[in-house]
Amino acid sequence: MAEEESVKMIRELEREEDLIAAARHIVEALGSNKNLTSDTKKILADLGSRLSSMNIENEKEERMIGKNESDIDDEEAVNEGEEEEEGVGVIEKRIGLIQEKIMKWEEDESMIWDSGPEEASEYLNAANEARILIEKLESMHLSKEDQEYKFLQRAHSVLQTAMTRLEEEFSHLLIQNRQPFEPEYVSFRSSEEDAADGNSFVSLGDDSFEESLRRDSVSRAAEEHVIDLVHPDVIPDLRCIASLLFASNYAKECSQVYTIVRRDALDECLFILEMERLSIEDVLKMEWNTLNSKIKRWIWAVKIFVRVYLASERWLSDQIFGEGEPASQVSFVDASKASILQLLNFGEAMSIGPHKPEKLFRILNMYEVLAGLMPDIDALYPDEAGSSVKFECHEVLDRLGDCVRITFLEFKSVVDSNPSVTPLVGGGIHPLARYVMNYLRTLADYGEALNHLLKDQEEEDAISSSPDTSPGTEEDNKSHESPGRFPSMARQFLSFASVLENNLEEKSKSYKETSLQHLFLMNNLHYMAEKVKGSELRIIFGDEWIRKHNWKFQQHAMKYERASWSSILSLLKDEGIHAPGSNSVSKTLLKEKLRSFYLGFEDIYRIQTGWSIPDVQLREDLRISISQNLIQAYRTFVGRHNSHISDRNIRYTADDLENYLLDFFENSQKLLQNPLRR
């Protein structure tokens, strides 16, 4: 009766095996389709792995029942009514068969999984039988005197041999079936050809400066994209091997093998992304041009590494060790930790380096990228095993943030104390003004990050403590007591602009001519207002600030006109042209007045043609204003005294003077032809 039951169970298992084999065939056929989505591939791989596991369990159960007549006979020899136990002879025979299957591969240098699925399945089943036999024997609580104890030691030896071989096979499958990196994730235009961002106020003062500091082309919102790092066909085999190693108490060895192979793969990934291993000292010694290129590459590479390769690496470990299993998390962390720390090491080095203003934009780029990746990193390392990696990421992020704050505030302090040395020839736009306004304009693109970093920043207000505080400073601050989206950044930017204004005020004092002082301030305040009005800074500074500074530069324009032209305009008044004791006009005094006017105009022409108003519209507006006052006064004066002035005394017509005004503020000093002799 026992024999009939065993035969019946064997036939049922055979039918089930046929169904499993057919299902596996379907899974393999579907898996060969290259157009499948990542989710579909994952489902098929998981299904294939489960089918393989079911096959092992069925074969295990079949062996427990017995695959041949002699096994059944042996089982019938067990005393009826007692718990079923294999006899000594059966155990010896069984371990002999297992040992034969295991040891035959020790003499063969080829890899088992290269020999085909049947050989691989047979080896796995034999190793699994050894494990099951050990469990049964250990449950008998044998003593060293028991005959079965020798079989237990022998089974342990066989299992150890099998486990060692499976570790090698596991490593071989991982290495031989590694997928090549997809080209779209490893293409990057060399940064070496890019122009340097500059390293001084002057070189960074051009308006084109801001364009050179725009963000790199890699999208900040690059989405996670999981790829197959190992060929999907071998995932079920890898999972079966890993399951058996873990079930046989070889979990540590299995994880170590996996970690070594995948760590090398991730190192290769960094190599392909051209992220060389650099020490902090190496980074600190680099020239800016080289460092700038490496920062750009880091910004590009870290996104791809985290969102593509680490995400794919995590998926691979989940496929092999089981999603959500501690073994999967630990293996992933051990495999990836060195690579992610290598990337973080560069970030840490950048946060330590000297706080030069031109580095701020790149540091901000690095901060933004790493901050954007933190949700991905937190999701990749959610458990205790990955806590050290998360901690390091947050630490480097904080250090980069500190570097941003320090660099910004130190640069503001440098601007505040920038000495007023040799005055700028012509009174045009000072390089410092260009630098600072372009600097702030570019920083405005980092509103979210910079506002966050400056939110809790408290510093002493250098402007309010200075005895030369600009009258508008306090009002500027009050006008932004309730700024918009980025309040902290707005306050700092307004303070920075006030510091710049104060510095320009000091620089204006380097000019001897009062009129040139006002022209210089007019140029620079107009430039500041236009930079704010025509960019994202308008949102930060506000329209009230723009109106106030429009009024300021217009006031300086009026003061320039008064300082430059009031003295010669006074010559076009009738005071002082009458002969003593008479109401009649003295031709001599009139002639002398005209001569003094012409000499004064020639002097102003000679000097102010060398002065500069870079903005075309501002230059034209000022010329028109001068013309309206000067030319009209000249025409009126000459017309009123036409009868007392001979043609030879009229050196320049009103049209001549108007044409000469077109030469003013072109930054090219000129002389009038045949000027009057003094």
Side-chain angles (χ1 to χ4, degrees), residues 20 38 69 147 203 225 249 281 316 343 393 403 406 437 508 548 636 652:
I20 294 171
S38 298
E69 291 290 335
Q147 188 174 358
S203 63
H225 185 91
N249 297 320
E281 291 74 19
L316 177 63
L343 286 171
C393 289
C403 182
I406 294 168
M437 294 311 296
S508 72
K548 192 179 271 64
T636 301
Y652 305 113

Side-chain angles (χ1 to χ4, degrees), residues 342-354:
Q342 179 180 332
L343 286 171
L344 291 174
N345 191 62
F346 182 80
E348 182 178 359
M350 289 304 305
S351 71
I352 293 173

Side-chain angles (χ1 to χ4, degrees), residues 20 24 27-28 41-57 124 232-243 318-322:
I20 294 171
R24 288 188 69 184
V27 168
E28 289 171 3
K41 287 181 181 178
K42 183 177 179 182
I43 291 168
L44 290 174
D46 189 59
L47 180 57
S49 177
R50 289 176 181 275
L51 291 170
S52 297
S53 299
M54 288 171 63
N55 193 45
I56 290 175
E57 290 301 319
L124 269 178
D233 289 351
V234 300
I235 295 297
D237 294 317
L238 289 167
R239 186 164 184 173
C240 284
I241 295 174
S243 296
D318 282 346
Q319 284 181 291
I320 293 173
F321 299 108

Side-chain angles (χ1 to χ4, degrees), residues 483-671:
R485 281 185 63 200
F486 308 125
S488 298
M489 190 172 79
R491 283 190 289 271
Q492 291 292 346
F493 276 30
L494 285 166
S495 175
F496 210 142
S498 293
V499 165
L500 174 61
E501 274 187 65
N502 284 349
N503 189 283
L504 293 171
E505 286 275 359
E506 287 300 310
K507 283 177 168 36
S508 72
K509 296 173 184 177
S510 302
Y511 297 104
K512 294 180 181 179
E513 302 93 338
T514 303
S515 54
L516 186 52
Q517 292 177 9
H518 291 300
L519 187 84
F520 171 78
L521 290 171
M522 177 198 72
N523 276 327
N524 284 273
L525 290 173
H526 175 267
Y527 177 81
M528 291 174 67
E530 288 299 302
K531 273 293 175 184
V532 171
K533 185 166 63 176
S535 71
E536 300 85 351
L537 289 174
R538 184 169 198 151
I539 301 171
I540 298 169
F541 280 71
D543 290 341
E544 180 62 29
W545 186 94
I546 296 172
R547 283 192 293 272
K548 192 179 271 64
H549 283 73
N550 282 339
W551 179 84
K552 282 184 179 182
F553 85 74
Q554 288 165 3
Q555 289 296 304
H556 283 294
M558 290 171 57
K559 290 176 181 178
Y560 151 78
E561 286 194 60
R562 191 178 299 123
S564 292
W565 300 100
S566 60
S567 60
I568 67 169
L569 278 171
S570 67
L571 295 170
L572 300 178
K573 295 179 179 179
D574 288 346
E575 288 85 354
I577 62 171
H578 296 90
S582 170
N583 290 327
S584 61
V585 174
S586 170
K587 291 183 180 181
T588 302
L589 292 175
L590 190 61
K591 178 181 174 181
E592 191 59 36
K593 262 206 167 191
L594 274 177
R595 178 180 172 83
S596 296
F597 173 81
Y598 293 143
L599 286 171
F601 182 84
E602 287 171 359
D603 280 342
I604 294 174
Y605 180 90
R606 174 179 54 82
I607 294 169
Q608 296 197 15
T609 51
W611 291 1
S612 173
I613 301 180
D615 185 86
V616 175
Q617 188 60 52
L618 181 60
R619 185 167 62 238
E620 183 63 25
D621 289 345
L622 191 58
R623 285 173 180 167
I624 291 171
S625 178
I626 295 169
S627 177
Q628 287 174 343
N629 292 320
L630 181 73
I631 306 304
Q632 184 59 40
Y634 179 75
R635 275 200 178 101
T636 301
F637 183 82
V638 172
R640 187 165 59 246
H641 301 289
N642 188 44
S643 60
H644 300 94
I645 305 172
S646 64
D647 290 342
R648 68 174 180 272
N649 295 133
I650 304 297
R651 186 165 184 82
Y652 305 113
T653 67
D655 290 340
D656 290 336
L657 295 178
E658 195 155 17
N659 287 331
Y660 288 141
L661 285 177
L662 297 178
D663 294 334
F664 276 60
F665 317 124
E666 294 286 351
N667 201 24
S668 177
Q669 192 172 32
K670 296 180 180 180
L671 292 173

Side-chain angles (χ1 to χ4, degrees), residues 272-284:
I272 291 174
L273 295 175
E274 297 183 26
M275 292 306 300
E276 56 188 305
R277 199 178 298 275
L278 297 168
S279 68
I280 291 176
E281 291 74 19
D282 292 334
V283 175
L284 295 178

